[in-house]
């Protein structure tokens, strides 16, 4: 026992001496991870520069077993893959991030993951699944007190119900979102929600009400890009009503802003312009604008805006009156075939794109389920091992107790034997003394009898 106590004292002394050094190493590792993460955040809008930094963050997080920064890696990686349209990789990466956030007891960030997963499933037209994720995000943001995130949750839920023509449900969530945005004093969120309110009325052909909400959205818009979108929506509403003058005014403002913004997609505005020129009877100008959309879409053949442009070209040639009969017939036939071909290709692309997205997500789900099953088996095996070790421990404890009890009993028996021996020796001594004393008394009595004459 003395040796064991000495060893424990030495170990405690060793750790006491090195605790400062260990803490210093941990702090240095965390500082390095924070520095790399900060560097990544500066370049996250530039994938070519951001990817290598992100991989560097992953390597260091894995080497130092820092689950917090490893979770951040997977979350950022998933965002990149979402932008690239690789929904399988994005879903798998989000799944890994979720697992790590659970390990690190992070109650808030899983809500952000669910919000992003909901957006992926929305793009894949898995509306029911998307709503499930948005509802999970809503619950987490409520429970963790991050109510500033709720307006965007409700915006996404409303978008689903607008697409499904469930306008009453969409209006309910938009109203909820606006209430929270007001409470949080978030003008950007209020602008986006009011803009979506405008779309809600636009889809119901309530163009005046739609413009009313678009104008309210403008009051809270904080970015030129958001403002340009709203200008375009207002112009579109006037186009649908045939109000050329107002449509021109708003479309001009939208284009002026879009041209100032780097890499902004101007194809929707050009299509609006082409439709507007067609209403004015300027078919050549309208065709020129549609041709520009086609040119801008040569590397994006599945674009919705390209489909709108091709449909507009077909409509214009079909309605043209200033062409000769032969020209009109030839071009109409050509455009009819072109429209059918383009429509079929567009349908096929849309179907393939949807199937690809759905298959990617399904594959990710299957892979995730397999990993979960494997994890469950591993946990079951680990539980069995733990029970086995517990049983061995109990057996060893029982043996140790038995040895201890036996030694204690043996010690007691030894003491009892010693006591008995001492008692026996004492008894012998007493008896011996008694015998000796008795003999002396006898001898005296015998001597007295010899002296008496009688």
């Amino acid at each position: 026992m003395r040796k064991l106590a000495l060893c424990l004292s030495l170990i405690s002394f060793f750790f006491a001496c090195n605790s400062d050094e260990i803490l210093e190493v941990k702090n240095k590792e965390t500082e390095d991870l924070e520095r790399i993460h900060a560097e990544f955040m500066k370049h996250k809008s530039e994938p070519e520069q951001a990817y290598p930094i992100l991989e560097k963050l992953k390597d260091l997080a894995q080497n130092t077993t820092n689950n917090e920064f490893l979770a951040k890696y997977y979350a950022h990686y998933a965002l990149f893959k979402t932008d690239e349209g690789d929904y399988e990789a994005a879903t798998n990466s989000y799944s890994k991030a979720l697992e790590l956030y659970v390990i690190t007891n992070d109650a808030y960030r899983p809500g952000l993951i669910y919000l992003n997963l909901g957006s992926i499933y929305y793009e894949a037209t898995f509306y029911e699944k998307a709503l499930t994720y948005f509802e999970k995000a809503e619950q987490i943001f409520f429970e963790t007190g991050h109510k500033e995130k709720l307006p965007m949750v409700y915006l996404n839920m409303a978008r689903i119900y607008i697409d499904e023509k469930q306008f009453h449900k969409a209006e309910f969530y938009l109203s909820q979102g606006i209430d929270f945005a007001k409470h949080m004093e978030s003008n950007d969120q209020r602008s986006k929600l009011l803009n979506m309110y405008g779309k809600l009325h636009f889809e119901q052909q309530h163009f005046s009400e739609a413009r009313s909400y678009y104008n309210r959205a403008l009051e809270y818009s904080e970015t030129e890009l958001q403002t340009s979108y709203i200008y375009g929506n207002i112009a579109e509403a006037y186009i649908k009503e045939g109000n050329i003058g107002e449509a021109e005014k708003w479309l001009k403002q939208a284009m002026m802003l879009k041209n100032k913004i780097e890499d902004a997609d101007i194809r929707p505005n050009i299509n609006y312009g082409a439709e507007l020129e067609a209403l004015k009877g300027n078919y050549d100008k309208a065709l020129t604008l549609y041709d520009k959309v086609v040119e801008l879409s040569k590397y994006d053949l599945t674009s919705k805006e390209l489909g709108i442009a091709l449909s507009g070209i077909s409509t214009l040639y079909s309605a043209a009156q200033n062409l000769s009969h032969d020209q009109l017939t030839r071009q109409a036939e050509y455009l009819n075939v072109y429209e059918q071909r383009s429509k079929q290709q567009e349908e096929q692309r849309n179907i393939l794109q949807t199937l690809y997205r759905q298959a990617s997500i399904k594959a990710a789900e299957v892979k995730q389920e397999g990993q979960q099953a494997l994890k469950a088996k591993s946990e079951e095996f680990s539980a069995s091992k733990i029970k086995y070790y517990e049983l061995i421990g109990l057996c060893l404890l029982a043996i140790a107790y038995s040895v201890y009890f036996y030694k204690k009993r043996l010690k007691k028996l030894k003491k009892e034997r010693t006591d008995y021996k001492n008692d026996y020796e004492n008894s012998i001594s007493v008896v011996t003394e008694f015998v000796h004393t008795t003999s002396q008394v006898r001898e005296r009595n015998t001597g007295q009898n010899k002296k008496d004459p009688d």
Side-chain angles (χ1 to χ4, degrees):
M1 289 296 292
R2 290 181 179 176
K3 290 182 178 179
L4 179 60
L6 180 61
C7 289
L8 291 174
S9 299
L10 289 172
I11 291 171
S12 300
F13 178 74
F14 173 78
F15 279 112
C17 292
N18 288 277
S19 60
D20 291 340
E21 295 178 12
I22 293 170
L23 185 61
E24 185 178 346
V25 170
K26 288 292 182 185
N27 288 339
K28 178 66 168 57
E29 291 172 353
T30 303
E31 288 176 2
D32 289 342
L33 285 165
E34 289 175 346
R35 177 180 52 77
I36 295 171
H37 184 261
E39 184 183 359
F40 163 78
M41 294 300 289
K42 291 179 182 178
H43 299 283
K44 68 176 183 178
S45 60
E46 306 164 300
E48 290 185 2
Q49 295 187 46
Y51 262 123
I53 302 172
L54 194 59
E55 290 302 315
K56 190 176 178 181
L57 180 71
K58 176 189 176 184
D59 291 340
L60 183 56
Q62 286 179 330
N63 292 336
T64 58
T65 61
N66 190 307
N67 289 327
E68 178 188 353
F69 280 94
L70 191 57
K72 288 181 179 181
Y73 160 79
Y74 283 118
H76 289 306
Y77 183 81
L79 281 173
F80 277 138
K81 289 302 175 183
T82 301
D83 291 340
E84 294 171 8
D86 189 348
Y87 293 104
E88 179 180 1
T91 304
N92 282 328
S93 194
Y94 277 134
S95 176
K96 291 177 181 177
L98 274 175
E99 290 181 7
L100 291 168
Y101 283 137
V102 170
I103 292 172
T104 57
N105 295 317
D106 192 321
Y108 161 61
R109 285 186 176 81
L112 300 176
I113 301 297
Y114 285 130
L115 184 59
N116 290 334
L117 280 171
S119 297
I120 289 177
Y121 278 87
Y122 170 80
E123 292 298 327
T125 66
F126 281 141
Y127 293 144
E128 185 177 349
K129 193 74 171 177
L131 281 171
T132 299
Y133 282 123
F134 289 141
E135 287 166 358
K136 287 182 179 180
E138 177 191 21
Q139 181 180 355
I140 288 174
F141 294 146
F142 261 117
E143 291 175 351
T144 58
H146 286 272
K147 295 181 180 180
E148 74 279 1
K149 297 295 182 182
L150 290 172
M152 288 300 97
V153 175
Y154 295 137
L155 176 69
N156 281 287
M157 294 173 81
R159 187 169 57 157
I160 290 174
Y161 287 120
I162 289 173
D163 287 355
E164 292 188 325
K165 308 299 181 185
Q166 298 185 46
F167 299 121
H168 290 296
K169 287 185 178 180
E171 188 169 7
F172 169 78
Y173 284 110
L174 286 173
S175 177
Q176 290 279 93
I178 288 174
D179 287 342
F180 276 103
K182 284 180 181 178
H183 181 70
M184 299 298 168
E185 298 182 352
S186 174
N187 289 338
D188 180 64
Q189 291 180 337
R190 288 179 74 176
S191 177
K192 290 175 180 177
L193 285 157
L194 288 167
N195 185 53
M196 189 61 69
Y197 234 125
K199 182 181 178 183
L200 170 70
H201 287 284
F202 181 88
E203 291 296 324
Q204 298 175 82
Q205 308 296 305
H206 303 156
F207 301 122
S208 178
E209 290 87 344
R211 286 195 301 273
S212 174
Y213 279 102
Y214 290 148
N215 280 305
R216 288 178 61 189
L218 280 175
E219 296 175 16
Y220 299 101
S221 178
E222 294 184 335
T223 66
E224 290 185 335
L225 185 61
Q226 173 70 3
T227 299
S228 68
Y229 284 144
I230 298 170
Y231 285 163
N233 290 338
I234 293 173
E236 184 184 22
Y238 277 120
I239 289 171
K240 294 300 181 184
E241 286 184 330
N243 190 331
I244 295 173
E246 287 296 318
E248 276 187 323
K249 182 181 78 173
W250 288 99
L251 188 59
K252 183 178 180 180
Q253 292 184 70
M255 284 299 295
M256 285 176 62
L257 274 181
K258 279 281 184 79
N259 288 330
K260 289 169 58 179
I261 302 169
E262 187 178 359
D263 296 327
D265 187 1
I266 61 174
R267 291 175 299 175
N269 304 78
I270 297 174
N271 274 330
Y272 291 151
E275 189 175 352
L276 184 60
E277 293 300 330
L279 281 175
K280 293 161 64 176
N282 299 329
Y283 299 123
D284 289 340
K285 194 169 182 179
L287 286 171
T288 300
L289 291 172
Y290 280 136
D291 284 339
K292 189 173 182 179
V293 174
V294 174
E295 177 64 22
L296 291 171
S297 303
K298 62 182 179 181
Y299 297 115
D300 187 13
L301 297 178
T302 61
S303 167
K304 175 185 174 183
E305 298 304 324
L306 176 60
I308 293 172
L310 293 175
S311 179
I313 290 171
S314 176
T315 300
L316 287 175
Y317 273 115
S318 298
Q321 301 294 326
N322 57 344
L323 297 174
S324 67
H325 178 72
D326 292 339
Q327 288 176 327
L328 182 60
T329 302
R330 181 175 60 80
Q331 290 185 358
E333 289 175 352
Y334 167 76
L335 287 173
N336 185 46
V337 173
Y338 185 67
E339 180 188 11
Q340 290 179 357
R341 179 176 180 275
S342 298
K343 185 178 180 180
Q344 185 178 8
Q345 286 180 333
E346 186 68 16
E347 288 175 350
Q348 288 176 343
R349 282 194 293 267
N350 289 336
I351 291 170
L352 288 172
Q353 190 174 41
T354 300
L355 287 174
Y356 170 76
R357 290 173 177 174
Q358 292 176 348
S360 295
I361 294 172
K362 285 292 184 184
E365 287 182 333
V366 169
K367 185 176 180 181
Q368 184 178 347
E369 288 171 359
Q371 289 176 343
Q372 288 176 345
L374 188 62
K375 185 178 179 182
K377 286 183 179 180
S378 176
E379 288 174 350
E380 184 179 350
F381 177 73
S382 297
S384 300
K385 283 176 66 178
I386 290 170
K387 288 182 179 179
Y388 175 74
Y389 288 133
E390 285 177 347
L391 182 60
I392 291 176
L394 287 172
C395 291
L396 291 173
L397 185 62
I399 292 170
Y401 180 78
S402 298
V403 171
Y404 171 77
F405 180 81
Y406 175 77
K407 288 177 69 177
K408 188 175 180 181
R409 179 64 179 164
L410 191 63
K411 186 177 180 180
K412 184 178 179 182
L413 288 172
K414 188 176 180 181
K415 186 177 182 300
E416 288 176 352
R417 179 179 288 180
T418 303
D419 293 340
Y420 175 78
K421 184 180 178 181
N422 291 336
D423 290 340
Y424 175 78
E425 290 176 351
N426 290 335
S427 298
I428 294 296
S429 177
V430 170
V431 170
T432 303
E433 187 177 354
F434 175 76
V435 171
H436 179 68
T437 303
T438 303
S439 298
Q440 287 179 342
V441 170
R442 243 182 228 167
E443 287 176 359
R444 279 200 206 101
N445 290 336
T446 302
Q448 287 177 358
N449 289 335
K450 285 180 180 181
K451 289 178 183 180
D452 190 356
D454 296 319

